[in-house]
Amino acid sequence: MNLTWLSPGWLWLAGVLIVPLLIHLLSRNAGRPLDFAALRFVPRTPLNKLLGIALSQRLLLLLRCLMLLALTLLLAQPRLESGVPDRGTAAVLISPLAMALYPEQALAKAEAEASRLGVAPRILARDFPRPGQSAAPGRPAEAIVAEMHQALGRFDPLAVVIAPGGADRLWRSPPITARIQWLELEPPASAARTIAVLAADDRHDDERYLRAAIETALSAAMVSPWRLLGEDSPQGADVQFALGEVVTDDRAALQIRDTVLPLDAEMQVAVGDQVVRQNYATARTGLADSNPLVLLAAEGSPADGGQTLASLAAGEIQFHSRFHPQAGELVSSGGLPVLVRDWLTLAAPSAPRWQPPSAPIAWWPAWVLLGLWLLERLLSQRAVEPGGGRNQ
Amino acid sequence: MQIDPHTLARLGNLEITGRTIATGYLHGRHLGQRHGPGTEFSQYRTWQPGDPRRSVDWRLFARTGQLHVREAELETDLRLWLVLDTSASMGVRTPGAPLTKLGFALRLAAALGFLAQQQGDELGLVEMGRQTAVRLPPAAGRDQWYRLLGALDSLDAGGDLVGAESLPLTLLDASEGALIFVLSDFYQQTGELLQNVARLALGNRDLRALCLECEVETRFDLGGARRLRDPESGEIVMTQPPRVRAQYLASRESYLNQVAREIAAAGGRFGRFSVDRPLDESLRRYLMAESAPAP
């Protein structure tokens, strides 16, 4: 519930409340007895009537203050609103990471927010690819992402359910001008305190593709509160963050056979607004301690290497993402493109429009004002009317 | 010429204001000075048959060789008593008004005194307040007027009319036919003032009771609820003037009518002065009415 004002510019009028109070206080001062020589001819007023006068004076003051308050309310037009006071089309999104990590909580939160905003709960990424699904090649990913951003720009407000720790950098990108409300999930109590994010794939022959995978993995890791990738991975972990094909299942002999990028190559990765330099060769992670384990695999089917790595982890693998920069059929594929397609179609005419709260003039302060005024007139008439009292 | 009370209050000086007011009255009246036997030299006039010889100024005859009679301003045997009420109720004023009743009374007394002095009458002043006493024994002449101003200057309002009973005693020696001006608001705790003032008219004296009233008393248009304090008894009354106005006005009017009746019954005359009106205009109107032949 938000208290908002249609014309908050009139709120200064409430400051005028000080005027009747000042008048009252000053007239109390002026109420020092007046020397009056002909007092003997003034009829005496009984005590109970005097008390009545004092009471009605205070009542009149109260009424006049309330009248000013009602006038202020009438002009400023207060509104009690339950929704976000933005206008346009509302959309609720779930970040892939949140969906991957805690799908139930993410869906519940998204649905609750959708009903609060008054939009039909159209949950994107519900059919986010599960391991085993394939993504057909399509348009360049950059084009799709740009299109996606453009589509997102039509939504305002934009509620995004995010994984614990921060927003996906996709939603932090500048092209989205919508006001974004971040709905951060509470991590379930059962969740482990450690998360590992891996980027692995067998299509290592494409440098761009690997780079994208690495960048995505690293971004996800960086925005997570459990940034265990890299420097603070436990010492002695014998599983390396693999960039390339994993050649053996033997955990002890895990090697990277053919790296496109040398393991000690430094790479600039944009995470949100920051640019960090990472040496992936040193990015170690204690996979055994990681639960859940997020594996970002680049290609359609779960990468063998990724599978291999995942099997080494003691934790449960919750997510396999595919992100292939050269996938030509993204829009019709079952991977991340599903999410993009939904974004694009959300703005279709069938999509529910979020209506701003209707704002007819609230007349109740006027009626209150009228009532107070009548009461004030009546009372002040009674106060001065000759013979107005019963015992006159 | 009209002098409003604000101007009067600014002038402050009784001599100027008294003279100003009285001169305003005298202007155009062609009273002229009467000459005759007296102490104050006025003029020489050629001797005419019938004039007593001792009135001839022989020294002048020695110088000029002509017979001249030395004349003085005529002194009348009229004695004017000014009785001023200085009780606390005379110290009140209409809120915002420049003059208290006493302030008005002082100026009125100065003006009356000036008129009397101009006519050669004797002047005396009686204060009626905390105690009633003669403040200035009667005498004639210009100096007497200045003495009157000094005596008036020393008066201030306060206290009760405790000494009103001795008023007739104080003026016991007032000669028959004396003119007595009583300047008061005629508010009294008991009936003492009225009785004693009325008794002043006995013995063929000419009693003029001038009732001074503020507009706040005559109009009583105080809004809302007010606390009023009696300056004499100190009693404080909370009241709503708009409600009780009619009752108040009726009761005050009936009291003043009674005062007027009693004074008229004793042979005196009763007049009312609003202290918030121009003094000279009020005085002129009053004197005109007084000098008009009685119906």
Side-chain angles (χ1 to χ4, degrees), chain A residues 30-45 49-50 53-54 56-57 381-390 392, chain B residues 89 92 95 101 185 187-189 216-217 220 222 225-231 235-240 242-244 247-248 251-252 255:
Chain A
R32 278 179 294 113
L34 173 75
D35 271 350
F36 193 75
L39 190 69
R40 68 215 64 180
F41 306 115
V42 176
R44 302 300 190 260
T45 315
K49 190 165 280 184
L50 286 180
I53 293 172
S56 67
Q57 294 280 321
Q381 279 297 316
R382 272 187 60 85
V384 298
E385 198 176 82
R390 281 165 296 164
Q392 192 60 40
Chain B
S89 70
V92 304
K101 288 183 197 168
D185 56 9
Y187 295 147
Q188 52 186 348
Q189 298 298 332
V216 70
E217 293 164 9
F220 202 49
L222 303 161
R226 290 301 290 258
R227 287 198 300 154
L228 304 175
R229 193 177 75 96
D230 190 311
E235 183 191 8
I236 292 181
V237 168
M238 172 87 180
T239 187
Q240 283 179 295
R243 275 197 175 190
V244 299
Q247 210 179 336
Y248 158 83
S251 136
R252 179 173 177 277
Y255 168 74

Side-chain angles (χ1 to χ4, degrees), chain A residues 27-278:
Chain A
S27 63
R28 271 167 69 96
N29 261 351
R32 278 179 294 113
L34 173 75
D35 271 350
F36 193 75
L39 190 69
R40 68 215 64 180
F41 306 115
V42 176
R44 302 300 190 260
T45 315
L47 182 66
N48 59 352
K49 190 165 280 184
L50 286 180
L51 290 177
I53 293 172
L55 200 69
S56 67
Q57 294 280 321
R58 276 150 187 76
L59 206 59
L60 271 175
L61 173 70
L62 184 70
L63 279 177
R64 284 161 188 168
C65 287
L66 286 178
M67 278 167 69
L68 267 178
L69 209 61
L71 185 65
T72 309
L73 288 180
L74 179 63
L75 293 170
Q77 291 286 311
R79 289 284 184 284
L80 260 184
E81 283 168 359
S82 54
V84 181
D86 297 321
R87 288 148 200 247
T89 309
V92 184
L93 307 175
I94 305 177
S95 87
L97 194 60
M99 189 64 193
L101 290 174
Y102 312 111
E104 283 79 23
Q105 291 96 319
L107 284 170
K109 188 137 193 156
E111 278 177 12
E113 182 64 15
S115 72
R116 196 183 74 81
L117 286 174
V119 300
R122 181 192 179 95
I123 307 301
L124 304 182
R126 194 189 288 278
D127 50 351
F128 209 75
R130 293 289 181 263
Q133 293 176 323
S134 63
R139 285 176 292 160
E142 289 83 356
I144 294 172
V145 169
E147 206 172 327
M148 178 185 80
H149 281 154
Q150 203 178 357
L152 281 180
R154 291 179 231 157
F155 299 103
D156 192 3
L158 199 62
V160 182
V161 179
I162 56 174
D168 228 302
R169 74 187 176 99
L170 285 178
W171 283 275
R172 288 194 188 275
S173 303
I176 301 179
T177 55
R179 276 155 290 186
I180 297 181
Q181 187 186 0
W182 302 103
L183 307 168
E184 188 168 307
L185 288 175
E186 288 288 320
S190 61
R193 304 295 300 161
T194 317
I195 182 173
V197 182
L198 302 179
D201 201 80
D202 44 359
R203 294 286 297 271
H204 55 278
D205 53 337
D206 190 329
E207 187 185 345
R208 277 203 301 150
Y209 145 67
L210 262 180
R211 209 175 262 278
I214 291 164
E215 200 177 325
T216 307
L218 206 46
S219 315
M222 290 299 286
V223 300
S224 159
W226 308 282
R227 292 182 194 167
L228 291 184
L229 280 183
E231 56 277 1
D232 49 351
S233 74
Q235 291 296 317
D238 51 3
V239 176
Q240 291 212 337
F241 186 82
L243 303 172
E245 194 175 9
V246 179
V247 294
T248 172
D249 287 353
D250 183 0
R251 184 173 172 175
L254 183 67
Q255 291 175 14
I256 310 297
R257 188 189 61 189
D258 181 15
T259 56
V260 174
L261 294 174
L263 281 178
D264 57 352
E266 280 207 339
M267 193 172 183
Q268 286 194 0
V269 177
V271 179
D273 299 334
Q274 325 168 22
V275 175
V276 295
R277 298 176 71 83
Q278 280 283 345

Side-chain angles (χ1 to χ4, degrees), chain B:
Chain B
M1 181 174 64
Q2 221 181 59
I3 306 153
D4 73 327
H6 286 270
T7 316
L8 269 185
R10 270 204 308 279
L11 284 175
N13 188 320
L14 277 178
E15 178 184 353
I16 297 173
T17 52
R19 196 196 297 269
T20 309
I21 297 159
T23 318
Y25 166 69
L26 289 177
H27 181 73
R29 294 269 294 171
H30 303 291
L31 275 182
Q33 269 186 321
R34 288 174 295 168
H35 308 284
T39 50
E40 295 271 325
F41 170 75
S42 171
Q43 66 171 4
Y44 288 113
R45 140 173 99 71
T46 38
W47 179 86
Q48 287 172 338
D51 285 335
R53 290 203 184 152
R54 59 189 174 90
S55 64
V56 173
D57 191 323
W58 295 109
R59 286 186 184 178
L60 193 65
F61 172 73
R63 285 210 304 277
T64 62
Q66 291 176 339
L67 284 174
H68 281 94
V69 174
R70 185 187 169 95
E71 281 200 330
E73 284 182 21
L74 186 70
E75 283 180 6
T76 63
D77 58 350
L78 183 66
R79 184 171 282 182
L80 172 71
W81 280 102
L82 296 168
V83 180
L84 253 71
D85 179 358
T86 59
S87 63
S89 70
M90 292 289 285
V92 304
R93 69 177 81 188
T94 303
L99 285 179
T100 61
K101 288 183 197 168
L102 185 63
F104 186 92
L106 294 183
R107 285 154 180 80
L108 187 56
L112 288 171
F114 186 78
L115 288 179
Q117 173 250 323
Q118 288 285 7
Q119 300 184 66
D121 299 341
E122 287 192 348
L123 261 179
L125 176 70
V126 173
E127 178 189 2
M128 175 173 70
R130 293 188 192 91
Q131 53 178 352
T132 295
V134 174
R135 291 285 170 234
L136 183 70
R142 184 166 296 163
D143 289 349
Q144 178 70 0
W145 187 61
Y146 286 110
R147 284 193 287 277
L148 171 72
L149 297 183
L152 289 175
D153 243 351
S154 66
L155 298 183
D156 60 335
D160 246 342
L161 271 179
V162 287
E165 295 85 356
S166 59
L167 189 58
L169 291 177
T170 309
L171 291 175
L172 199 59
D173 60 341
S175 55
E176 252 188 38
L179 178 61
I180 303 179
F181 274 98
V182 179
L183 309 183
S184 169
D185 56 9
F186 291 94
Y187 295 147
Q188 52 186 348
Q189 298 298 332
T190 56
E192 79 284 355
L193 172 68
L194 188 53
Q195 286 173 12
N196 292 305
V197 167
R199 274 160 63 187
L200 291 180
L202 300 177
N204 202 20
R205 297 173 185 137
D206 192 357
L207 172 67
R208 309 288 171 92
L210 302 189
C211 176
L212 308 181
E213 39 193 18
C214 296
E215 290 206 350
V216 70
E217 293 164 9
T218 54
R219 308 236 301 248
F220 202 49
D221 51 1
L222 303 161
R226 290 301 290 258
R227 287 198 300 154
L228 304 175
R229 193 177 75 96
D230 190 311
E232 286 178 25
S233 67
E235 183 191 8
I236 292 181
V237 168
M238 172 87 180
T239 187
Q240 283 179 295
R243 275 197 175 190
V244 299
R245 184 167 182 270
Q247 210 179 336
Y248 158 83
L249 289 180
S251 136
R252 179 173 177 277
E253 206 56 34
S254 89
Y255 168 74
L256 288 179
N257 286 339
Q258 183 205 343
V259 172
R261 270 199 311 277
E262 291 199 18
I263 286 181
R269 298 202 212 178
F270 184 76
R272 288 162 73 166
F273 272 67
S274 167
V275 305
D276 300 318
R277 305 271 295 280
L279 199 161
D280 54 338
E281 182 206 337
S282 305
L283 180 64
R284 186 160 52 241
R285 189 177 302 139
Y286 173 78
L287 291 175
M288 296 286 195
E290 289 292 297
S291 56

